[in-house]
mmCIF file of all heavy atoms in Angstrom:
data_model
loop_
_atom_site.group_PDB
_atom_site.id
_atom_site.type_symbol
_atom_site.label_atom_id
_atom_site.label_comp_id
_atom_site.label_asym_id
_atom_site.label_seq_id
_atom_site.Cartn_x
_atom_site.Cartn_y
_atom_site.Cartn_z
ATOM 1 N N THR Q 386 83.209 -9.355 -14.358
ATOM 2 C CA THR Q 386 83.139 -10.624 -15.083
ATOM 3 C C THR Q 386 82.799 -10.452 -16.560
ATOM 4 O O THR Q 386 83.521 -10.972 -17.424
ATOM 5 C CB THR Q 386 82.138 -11.577 -14.409
ATOM 6 O OG1 THR Q 386 82.613 -11.877 -13.089
ATOM 7 C CG2 THR Q 386 82.011 -12.867 -15.193
ATOM 8 N N PRO Q 387 81.705 -9.748 -16.922
ATOM 9 C CA PRO Q 387 81.409 -9.631 -18.355
ATOM 10 C C PRO Q 387 82.495 -8.904 -19.128
ATOM 11 O O PRO Q 387 82.750 -9.223 -20.299
ATOM 12 C CB PRO Q 387 80.084 -8.861 -18.393
ATOM 13 C CG PRO Q 387 79.935 -8.232 -17.062
ATOM 14 C CD PRO Q 387 80.655 -9.113 -16.094
ATOM 15 N N ALA Q 388 83.163 -7.933 -18.499
ATOM 16 C CA ALA Q 388 84.221 -7.195 -19.189
ATOM 17 C C ALA Q 388 85.409 -8.103 -19.489
ATOM 18 O O ALA Q 388 85.962 -8.091 -20.598
ATOM 19 C CB ALA Q 388 84.664 -6.000 -18.347
ATOM 20 N N VAL Q 389 85.810 -8.905 -18.504
ATOM 21 C CA VAL Q 389 86.938 -9.821 -18.704
ATOM 22 C C VAL Q 389 86.589 -10.880 -19.742
ATOM 23 O O VAL Q 389 87.369 -11.174 -20.655
ATOM 24 C CB VAL Q 389 87.345 -10.478 -17.372
ATOM 25 C CG1 VAL Q 389 88.354 -11.601 -17.621
ATOM 26 C CG2 VAL Q 389 87.931 -9.450 -16.419
ATOM 27 N N LEU Q 390 85.398 -11.471 -19.615
ATOM 28 C CA LEU Q 390 85.005 -12.533 -20.543
ATOM 29 C C LEU Q 390 84.917 -12.024 -21.975
ATOM 30 O O LEU Q 390 85.243 -12.747 -22.922
ATOM 31 C CB LEU Q 390 83.670 -13.130 -20.115
ATOM 32 C CG LEU Q 390 83.688 -13.942 -18.815
ATOM 33 C CD1 LEU Q 390 82.312 -14.512 -18.521
ATOM 34 C CD2 LEU Q 390 84.723 -15.052 -18.860
ATOM 35 N N SER Q 391 84.487 -10.783 -22.141
ATOM 36 C CA SER Q 391 84.397 -10.215 -23.484
ATOM 37 C C SER Q 391 85.768 -10.147 -24.145
ATOM 38 O O SER Q 391 85.927 -10.495 -25.325
ATOM 39 C CB SER Q 391 83.780 -8.812 -23.411
ATOM 40 O OG SER Q 391 83.751 -8.211 -24.689
ATOM 41 N N ILE Q 392 86.768 -9.723 -23.377
ATOM 42 C CA ILE Q 392 88.132 -9.650 -23.907
ATOM 43 C C ILE Q 392 88.658 -11.049 -24.234
ATOM 44 O O ILE Q 392 89.236 -11.294 -25.301
ATOM 45 C CB ILE Q 392 89.061 -8.952 -22.893
ATOM 46 C CG1 ILE Q 392 88.658 -7.489 -22.728
ATOM 47 C CG2 ILE Q 392 90.519 -9.057 -23.343
ATOM 48 C CD1 ILE Q 392 89.392 -6.766 -21.601
ATOM 49 N N VAL Q 393 88.442 -11.985 -23.316
ATOM 50 C CA VAL Q 393 88.929 -13.349 -23.515
ATOM 51 C C VAL Q 393 88.278 -13.991 -24.729
ATOM 52 O O VAL Q 393 88.939 -14.642 -25.550
ATOM 53 C CB VAL Q 393 88.680 -14.199 -22.254
ATOM 54 C CG1 VAL Q 393 89.011 -15.663 -22.511
ATOM 55 C CG2 VAL Q 393 89.509 -13.674 -21.083
ATOM 56 N N HIS Q 394 86.967 -13.811 -24.868
ATOM 57 C CA HIS Q 394 86.259 -14.385 -26.010
ATOM 58 C C HIS Q 394 86.811 -13.844 -27.327
ATOM 59 O O HIS Q 394 87.048 -14.596 -28.279
ATOM 60 C CB HIS Q 394 84.766 -14.068 -25.902
ATOM 61 C CG HIS Q 394 84.090 -14.795 -24.773
ATOM 62 N ND1 HIS Q 394 82.788 -14.545 -24.407
ATOM 63 C CD2 HIS Q 394 84.538 -15.758 -23.928
ATOM 64 C CE1 HIS Q 394 82.468 -15.326 -23.387
ATOM 65 N NE2 HIS Q 394 83.510 -16.060 -23.080
ATOM 66 N N GLU Q 395 87.032 -12.553 -27.358
ATOM 67 C CA GLU Q 395 87.519 -11.928 -28.594
ATOM 68 C C GLU Q 395 88.932 -12.387 -28.935
ATOM 69 O O GLU Q 395 89.219 -12.756 -30.086
ATOM 70 C CB GLU Q 395 87.491 -10.404 -28.440
ATOM 71 C CG GLU Q 395 88.018 -9.654 -29.654
ATOM 72 C CD GLU Q 395 88.067 -8.152 -29.444
ATOM 73 O OE1 GLU Q 395 87.567 -7.675 -28.412
ATOM 74 O OE2 GLU Q 395 88.619 -7.450 -30.327
ATOM 75 N N ARG Q 396 89.820 -12.394 -27.961
ATOM 76 C CA ARG Q 396 91.232 -12.667 -28.228
ATOM 77 C C ARG Q 396 91.560 -14.148 -28.314
ATOM 78 O O ARG Q 396 92.658 -14.508 -28.741
ATOM 79 C CB ARG Q 396 92.094 -11.974 -27.168
ATOM 80 C CG ARG Q 396 91.950 -10.454 -27.237
ATOM 81 C CD ARG Q 396 92.778 -9.725 -26.214
ATOM 82 N NE ARG Q 396 92.472 -8.291 -26.241
ATOM 83 C CZ ARG Q 396 92.955 -7.411 -25.362
ATOM 84 N NH1 ARG Q 396 93.776 -7.826 -24.400
ATOM 85 N NH2 ARG Q 396 92.620 -6.142 -25.452
ATOM 86 N N SER Q 397 90.616 -14.994 -27.903
ATOM 87 C CA SER Q 397 90.833 -16.433 -28.070
ATOM 88 C C SER Q 397 90.297 -16.919 -29.407
ATOM 89 O O SER Q 397 90.348 -18.114 -29.709
ATOM 90 C CB SER Q 397 90.152 -17.204 -26.940
ATOM 91 O OG SER Q 397 88.747 -17.114 -27.040
ATOM 92 N N GLY Q 398 89.794 -15.984 -30.200
ATOM 93 C CA GLY Q 398 89.260 -16.357 -31.502
ATOM 94 C C GLY Q 398 88.012 -17.212 -31.412
ATOM 95 O O GLY Q 398 87.728 -18.011 -32.309
ATOM 96 N N GLY Q 399 87.268 -17.042 -30.310
ATOM 97 C CA GLY Q 399 86.029 -17.791 -30.140
ATOM 98 C C GLY Q 399 86.189 -19.120 -29.431
ATOM 99 O O GLY Q 399 85.193 -19.783 -29.114
ATOM 100 N N ALA Q 400 87.436 -19.536 -29.158
ATOM 101 C CA ALA Q 400 87.653 -20.837 -28.511
ATOM 102 C C ALA Q 400 87.033 -20.878 -27.124
ATOM 103 O O ALA Q 400 86.461 -21.900 -26.702
ATOM 104 C CB ALA Q 400 89.150 -21.136 -28.426
ATOM 105 N N SER Q 401 87.127 -19.766 -26.386
ATOM 106 C CA SER Q 401 86.565 -19.747 -25.032
ATOM 107 C C SER Q 401 85.049 -19.880 -25.063
ATOM 108 O O SER Q 401 84.450 -20.491 -24.175
ATOM 109 C CB SER Q 401 86.962 -18.451 -24.308
ATOM 110 O OG SER Q 401 86.389 -17.317 -24.945
ATOM 111 N N VAL Q 402 84.417 -19.324 -26.082
ATOM 112 C CA VAL Q 402 82.962 -19.411 -26.206
ATOM 113 C C VAL Q 402 82.533 -20.862 -26.421
ATOM 114 O O VAL Q 402 81.552 -21.337 -25.830
ATOM 115 C CB VAL Q 402 82.467 -18.525 -27.369
ATOM 116 C CG1 VAL Q 402 80.971 -18.727 -27.598
ATOM 117 C CG2 VAL Q 402 82.762 -17.057 -27.091
ATOM 118 N N THR Q 403 83.274 -21.565 -27.260
ATOM 119 C CA THR Q 403 82.946 -22.964 -27.543
ATOM 120 C C THR Q 403 83.014 -23.814 -26.280
ATOM 121 O O THR Q 403 82.107 -24.602 -25.988
ATOM 122 C CB THR Q 403 83.914 -23.531 -28.596
ATOM 123 O OG1 THR Q 403 83.809 -22.748 -29.797
ATOM 124 C CG2 THR Q 403 83.592 -24.974 -28.915
ATOM 125 N N VAL Q 404 84.099 -23.646 -25.509
ATOM 126 C CA VAL Q 404 84.243 -24.404 -24.264
ATOM 127 C C VAL Q 404 83.161 -24.012 -23.264
ATOM 128 O O VAL Q 404 82.547 -24.860 -22.610
ATOM 129 C CB VAL Q 404 85.644 -24.183 -23.651
ATOM 130 C CG1 VAL Q 404 85.743 -24.856 -22.281
ATOM 131 C CG2 VAL Q 404 86.714 -24.710 -24.576
ATOM 132 N N ASN Q 405 82.905 -22.719 -23.153
ATOM 133 C CA ASN Q 405 81.920 -22.197 -22.211
ATOM 134 C C ASN Q 405 80.529 -22.772 -22.488
ATOM 135 O O ASN Q 405 79.843 -23.258 -21.580
ATOM 136 C CB ASN Q 405 81.896 -20.667 -22.301
ATOM 137 C CG ASN Q 405 81.199 -20.024 -21.112
ATOM 138 O OD1 ASN Q 405 80.685 -20.702 -20.230
ATOM 139 N ND2 ASN Q 405 81.171 -18.717 -21.097
ATOM 140 N N ARG Q 406 80.116 -22.736 -23.749
ATOM 141 C CA ARG Q 406 78.796 -23.269 -24.100
ATOM 142 C C ARG Q 406 78.692 -24.753 -23.775
ATOM 143 O O ARG Q 406 77.706 -25.215 -23.209
ATOM 144 C CB ARG Q 406 78.528 -23.064 -25.587
ATOM 145 C CG ARG Q 406 77.924 -21.732 -25.968
ATOM 146 C CD ARG Q 406 77.364 -21.790 -27.371
ATOM 147 N NE ARG Q 406 76.303 -22.781 -27.516
ATOM 148 C CZ ARG Q 406 75.709 -23.084 -28.668
ATOM 149 N NH1 ARG Q 406 76.085 -22.489 -29.781
ATOM 150 N NH2 ARG Q 406 74.748 -23.975 -28.706
ATOM 151 N N GLN Q 407 79.726 -25.500 -24.114
ATOM 152 C CA GLN Q 407 79.683 -26.941 -23.913
ATOM 153 C C GLN Q 407 79.599 -27.299 -22.437
ATOM 154 O O GLN Q 407 78.830 -28.175 -22.033
ATOM 155 C CB GLN Q 407 80.903 -27.604 -24.546
ATOM 156 C CG GLN Q 407 80.836 -29.121 -24.565
ATOM 157 C CD GLN Q 407 79.680 -29.644 -25.400
ATOM 158 O OE1 GLN Q 407 79.545 -29.294 -26.562
ATOM 159 N NE2 GLN Q 407 78.823 -30.474 -24.800
ATOM 160 N N LEU Q 408 80.389 -26.623 -21.612
ATOM 161 C CA LEU Q 408 80.388 -26.976 -20.191
ATOM 162 C C LEU Q 408 79.077 -26.578 -19.524
ATOM 163 O O LEU Q 408 78.596 -27.265 -18.613
ATOM 164 C CB LEU Q 408 81.602 -26.389 -19.470
ATOM 165 C CG LEU Q 408 81.788 -24.881 -19.342
ATOM 166 C CD1 LEU Q 408 81.036 -24.302 -18.161
ATOM 167 C CD2 LEU Q 408 83.289 -24.555 -19.194
ATOM 168 N N ILE Q 409 78.459 -25.482 -19.962
ATOM 169 C CA ILE Q 409 77.148 -25.095 -19.426
ATOM 170 C C ILE Q 409 76.120 -26.187 -19.709
ATOM 171 O O ILE Q 409 75.359 -26.603 -18.820
ATOM 172 C CB ILE Q 409 76.697 -23.755 -20.032
ATOM 173 C CG1 ILE Q 409 77.492 -22.597 -19.427
ATOM 174 C CG2 ILE Q 409 75.195 -23.526 -19.819
ATOM 175 C CD1 ILE Q 409 77.267 -21.264 -20.124
ATOM 176 N N GLU Q 410 76.100 -26.662 -20.931
ATOM 177 C CA GLU Q 410 75.123 -27.688 -21.324
ATOM 178 C C GLU Q 410 75.421 -29.021 -20.632
ATOM 179 O O GLU Q 410 74.501 -29.712 -20.162
ATOM 180 C CB GLU Q 410 75.135 -27.831 -22.849
ATOM 181 C CG GLU Q 410 74.658 -26.566 -23.557
ATOM 182 C CD GLU Q 410 75.093 -26.468 -25.007
ATOM 183 O OE1 GLU Q 410 75.618 -27.485 -25.536
ATOM 184 O OE2 GLU Q 410 74.936 -25.399 -25.615
ATOM 185 N N ASP Q 411 76.696 -29.388 -20.540
ATOM 186 C CA ASP Q 411 77.070 -30.632 -19.870
ATOM 187 C C ASP Q 411 76.733 -30.584 -18.379
ATOM 188 O O ASP Q 411 76.297 -31.578 -17.791
ATOM 189 C CB ASP Q 411 78.558 -30.915 -20.052
ATOM 190 C CG ASP Q 411 78.918 -31.307 -21.484
ATOM 191 O OD1 ASP Q 411 78.003 -31.652 -22.256
ATOM 192 O OD2 ASP Q 411 80.121 -31.263 -21.828
ATOM 193 N N ASN Q 412 76.950 -29.427 -17.757
ATOM 194 C CA ASN Q 412 76.657 -29.290 -16.332
ATOM 195 C C ASN Q 412 75.157 -29.375 -16.063
ATOM 196 O O ASN Q 412 74.727 -29.936 -15.050
ATOM 197 C CB ASN Q 412 77.219 -27.973 -15.790
ATOM 198 C CG ASN Q 412 78.736 -27.953 -15.779
ATOM 199 O OD1 ASN Q 412 79.386 -28.980 -15.880
ATOM 200 N ND2 ASN Q 412 79.305 -26.763 -15.669
ATOM 201 N N ALA Q 413 74.365 -28.820 -16.966
ATOM 202 C CA ALA Q 413 72.909 -28.925 -16.826
ATOM 203 C C ALA Q 413 72.479 -30.386 -16.874
ATOM 204 O O ALA Q 413 71.629 -30.837 -16.085
ATOM 205 C CB ALA Q 413 72.213 -28.122 -17.920
ATOM 206 N N ALA Q 414 73.077 -31.148 -17.784
ATOM 207 C CA ALA Q 414 72.744 -32.564 -17.906
ATOM 208 C C ALA Q 414 73.147 -33.331 -16.649
ATOM 209 O O ALA Q 414 72.389 -34.188 -16.160
ATOM 210 C CB ALA Q 414 73.431 -33.162 -19.131
ATOM 211 N N LEU Q 415 74.336 -33.047 -16.114
ATOM 212 C CA LEU Q 415 74.777 -33.732 -14.901
ATOM 213 C C LEU Q 415 73.891 -33.371 -13.709
ATOM 214 O O LEU Q 415 73.580 -34.229 -12.876
ATOM 215 C CB LEU Q 415 76.234 -33.388 -14.594
ATOM 216 C CG LEU Q 415 76.815 -34.010 -13.327
ATOM 217 C CD1 LEU Q 415 76.683 -35.529 -13.325
ATOM 218 C CD2 LEU Q 415 78.279 -33.590 -13.152
#
Side-chain angles (χ1 to χ4, degrees):
T386 297
V389 170
L390 291 182
S391 177
I392 294 172
V393 172
H394 291 173
E395 178 184 353
R396 296 180 186 173
S397 68
S401 65
V402 174
T403 301
V404 174
N405 196 357
R406 273 195 61 185
Q407 189 63 54
L408 64 84
I409 286 171
E410 295 160 10
D411 290 344
N412 292 344
L415 178 56

